[in-house]
Amino acid sequence: MQQKRMAIINPVSANGKTAKAWPVYEKYFLKQGIKIEKRFTEYQGHAIELTRSVVAEGYRKIMAVGGDGTINEVVNGIYKGDRLINDDVNLIIFSQGTGCDYIRSLGISNKVEDIVNIINRNQVKLLDLGQVSFRNHQGIEEERLFVNLADTGIGAATAKLVNESSKILGGFLTFLLGILRTLYSHKNKKIRVLVDQEERCNQYLNSVMIANGKYFGGGIQIAPEADLESGILNIVLLKNFNKLQIIINLIRAYKGTHLSHPLVESINGKHIIMQSEDDEISELELDGESVGTLPASFKILENKLPVHV
C-alpha cells in the first residue's frame, strides 16, 4: 500500500514566491503521477502543529516546502523529544527559502524535476540532528531540534534583522546586506564555551557557530569541517574580530577558507554548553530563525533524521 504524502507549505517563504509557485509545482507533480496533499502555514510555529496533525491522520511522507526555518519546524513536528512520533515517518525536502543552506550540505537541489526524481527513487538516508535546550523569548526553558546550524553573535543578530526585512534580493545579497547593517551596532560579547565538559573558551567573541551542516546565511561556508553524517557537531569560534576585520574576511568565509585565520577556531564535540558572561542578552538562532537567548546546551543525535535523497 502506497504511503500518503503531505506537503507542509510556507507560502511566505522566498519573499512570497512560494505561494505563487506552488500551483505550478502541484500540476507538475500530478503530471508525473505524484499526488501530494497540502497544508499551508499561517504563523511562526504553525508547521510544527500541522505536521503533528497530519501524522496523526496517517500521513507518513511529509514534504517540507519553504526555507530552512520551515524545515526546522516540520522536523520538530515529527519528533517528540529525540524520538520520531511514528517510526514510519520520513521527510522530503523541497527547499524554497531565501538561503537554502541545508540542501547545500545535503547535496540536493530545489528544482521540481529533481524533487520528482527523489520521490520516485524512494531512497531514505538517516542524518544527524542537533538538539538544544535554551531560554525562549518569553524567558521559558525550551528544548528544540535543529537540522543545520545554531549560533549566537553576529549571525544570530543578522538572522533576526533579515527575518524582519524584505528578502526580495534573494539569499546572497539579503544576508550580505544584513551582515553589513548588523555590524553598525553589533558588539562582541564575552561567552563561555564548554565542549564535552572541558572549557574551551571564555572571552569576547564575535560569534559561536554550532554546526551540523556547512553553510549558513545564504551560502556562507562557515563550517567547512561539518558533516551531516559524522556523529559530531562542529563548533566554529569567531573570536574578538573588529568590524573592519569581519568585512575583510567575509569573502574567505563564503569560500570556507577562513579557518586558517588566527582569530578563528574549529572544534568538534558531542555536547556543548554556551553561557553569556555579559549582562547583555545574547541572541540564539536555529536554522535561520531567532528563537531565544543564552544560556544554551547542545548535543548531537546520531543517525536520527530519515530524509529522502
Side-chain angles (χ1 to χ4, degrees):
M1 178 176 156
Q2 188 179 37
Q3 290 181 322
K4 296 191 294 182
R5 304 183 187 95
M6 173 64 72
I8 305 295
I9 305 162
N10 180 0
V12 301
S13 61
N15 209 50
K17 293 179 182 177
T18 302
K20 298 175 183 177
W22 178 255
V24 178
Y25 295 146
E26 190 172 31
K27 286 180 182 178
Y28 186 82
F29 285 130
L30 285 172
K31 188 176 179 181
Q32 303 302 315
I34 297 171
K35 183 179 180 182
I36 304 175
E37 302 295 331
K38 60 183 179 292
R39 300 278 196 280
F40 291 98
T41 64
E42 298 175 6
Y43 47 84
Q44 188 172 11
H46 196 197
I48 298 175
E49 301 168 19
L50 288 176
T51 301
R52 288 178 180 163
S53 176
V54 300
V55 172
E57 292 172 28
Y59 291 89
R60 297 294 177 261
K61 294 183 181 295
I62 312 299
M63 177 187 284
V65 185
D68 287 350
T70 304
I71 297 167
N72 178 290
E73 289 192 12
V74 171
V75 167
N76 277 277
I78 63 175
Y79 278 85
K80 185 175 183 180
D82 61 358
R83 295 185 64 86
L84 286 166
I85 58 176
N86 185 291
D87 290 340
D88 294 328
V89 169
N90 44 63
L91 181 67
I92 302 166
I93 294 174
F94 191 6
S95 187
Q96 293 293 299
T98 306
C100 296
D101 288 303
Y102 185 54
I103 63 168
R104 296 175 199 270
S105 294
L106 191 53
I108 63 175
S109 85
N110 61 352
K111 295 180 180 178
V112 66
E113 298 86 355
D114 293 329
I115 302 304
V116 166
N117 290 335
I118 285 171
I119 291 171
N120 288 334
R121 189 180 300 128
N122 199 32
Q123 180 182 341
V124 175
K125 180 179 284 190
L126 293 174
L127 302 176
D128 297 342
L129 279 171
Q131 185 176 48
V132 55
S133 300
F134 61 98
R135 184 180 297 131
N136 66 25
H137 287 123
Q138 289 71 47
I140 300 168
E141 292 295 320
E142 186 175 330
E143 188 173 79
R144 189 156 171 167
L145 303 174
F146 63 97
V147 296
N148 185 47
L149 186 141
D151 78 275
T152 190
I154 195 170
T158 301
K160 192 171 188 294
L161 177 67
V162 165
N163 287 330
E164 293 169 353
S165 310
S166 169
K167 301 177 183 178
I168 196 169
L169 296 175
F172 176 80
L173 284 177
T174 296
F175 284 102
L176 177 59
L177 292 175
I179 289 171
L180 296 177
R181 288 175 62 194
T182 302
L183 273 174
Y184 179 76
S185 59
H186 181 75
K187 295 179 181 178
N188 294 346
K189 294 181 174 65
K190 191 175 182 182
I191 297 173
R192 183 173 183 239
V193 181
L194 292 88
V195 179
D196 296 334
Q197 301 182 328
E198 178 186 353
E199 183 177 280
R200 299 299 299 265
C201 186
N202 190 2
Q203 66 181 79
Y204 281 91
L205 298 172
N206 177 274
S207 297
V208 183
M209 313 289 176
I210 311 295
N212 189 35
K214 298 179 187 297
Y215 299 89
F216 94 128
I220 302 173
Q221 194 178 172
I222 197 67
E225 296 180 348
D227 189 325
L228 298 172
E229 300 176 79
S230 65
I232 53 175
L233 291 166
N234 181 229
I235 305 98
V236 178
L237 306 177
L238 303 184
K239 298 183 180 178
N240 202 16
F241 279 90
N242 62 38
K243 292 176 171 58
L244 180 60
Q245 287 172 321
I246 284 292
I247 294 171
I248 291 171
N249 286 282
L250 194 55
I251 190 66
R252 295 182 66 188
Y254 270 100
K255 293 179 178 179
T257 60
H258 58 293
L259 296 188
S260 60
H261 193 285
L263 290 180
V264 179
E265 185 175 0
S266 176
I267 308 166
N268 292 326
K270 290 178 176 288
H271 184 244
I272 301 97
I273 295 173
M274 288 198 300
Q275 301 166 331
S276 178
E277 298 293 292
D278 277 345
D279 292 332
E280 292 186 67
I281 291 173
S282 294
E283 289 282 342
L284 175 70
E285 68 106 342
L286 304 177
D287 296 333
E289 301 292 329
S290 179
V291 295
T293 62
L294 300 187
S297 174
F298 307 80
K299 66 179 181 180
I300 189 74
L301 304 178
E302 297 181 49
N303 302 324
K304 281 284 187 178
L305 180 63
V307 178
H308 284 259
V309 294

